């Protein structure tokens, strides 16, 4: 199976001036764990993950003042849609990250996560289609 078969084509893109709170709100609303940060002024593309936000908040930084640009990973490893899931998993393992921005041509066409890969591998090994994501239920 290939990255194009597993990747999410819902790519949240934000600018470097977005605050971490704004980024977290957008990520939560779209139920994604990462956003692509497009910095047109510097012709740069990076990624901001939920972990980046967590580290900042855990360090006592104010999410209303901290910007996405200050916490964006810019030395991103990109995947191609034609990569195998094995290649993507190896790149993630080697780099120690959970998301790969998928590039095709001039820009991002998707994001593939560890969860996407596991979902596909589980469906392949069980011989059944992958189950749709479950909605979270809050218990009080």
């Amino acid at each position: 199976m290939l990255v194009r078969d597993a990747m999410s084509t819902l790519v949240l893109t934000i600018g470097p001036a977005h605050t971490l709170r704004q980024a977290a709100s957008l990520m939560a609303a779209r139920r994604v764990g990462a956003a692509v940060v497009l910095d047109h002024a510097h012709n740069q593309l990076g990624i901001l993950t939920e972990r980046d936000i967590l580290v900042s908040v855990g360090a006592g930084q104010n999410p209303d003042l901290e910007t996405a640009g200050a916490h964006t990973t810019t030395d991103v490893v990109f995947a191609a849609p034609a990569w195998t899931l094995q290649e993507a998993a190896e790149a993630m393992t080697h780099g120690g990250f959970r998301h790969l921005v998928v590039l095709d041509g001039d820009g991002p066409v998707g994001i593939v996560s560890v969860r996407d890969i596991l979902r596909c591998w589980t469906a392949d090994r069980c011989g059944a289609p992958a189950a749709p994501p479950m909605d979270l239920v809050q218990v009080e």
Side-chain angles (χ1 to χ4, degrees):
M1 187 167 272
L2 302 178
V3 165
R4 75 170 51 93
D5 302 318
M7 71 182 190
S8 170
T9 56
L10 174 64
V11 180
L12 172 62
T13 58
I14 62 173
H18 278 85
T19 67
L20 291 186
R21 184 174 308 281
Q22 290 170 323
S25 178
L26 291 167
M27 291 163 64
R30 287 161 181 80
R31 300 182 66 168
V32 297
V36 173
V37 181
L38 295 175
D39 186 349
H40 296 290
H42 296 100
N43 197 27
Q44 197 169 41
L45 181 126
I47 190 168
L48 178 74
T49 67
E50 56 199 357
R51 180 163 293 167
D52 297 324
I53 296 169
L54 180 70
V55 167
S56 174
V57 171
Q61 297 174 334
N62 185 336
D64 293 313
L65 299 177
E66 292 296 315
T67 62
H71 297 277
T72 296
T73 300
T74 55
D75 57 341
V76 179
V77 174
F78 299 102
W83 277 19
T84 66
L85 294 186
Q86 182 69 34
E87 289 173 306
E90 288 171 1
M92 289 177 182
T93 300
H94 179 73
F97 39 80
R98 299 176 295 156
H99 299 87
L100 288 172
V101 177
V102 183
L103 288 185
D104 192 13
D106 293 330
V109 295
I111 291 183
V112 65
S113 69
V114 170
R115 180 176 294 158
D116 295 327
I117 293 171
L118 290 174
R119 179 180 37 81
C120 289
W121 281 349
T122 301
D124 283 350
R125 291 202 167 92
C126 295
M134 295 175 45
D135 289 330
L136 296 177
V137 177
Q138 184 173 349
V139 178
E140 295 185 37

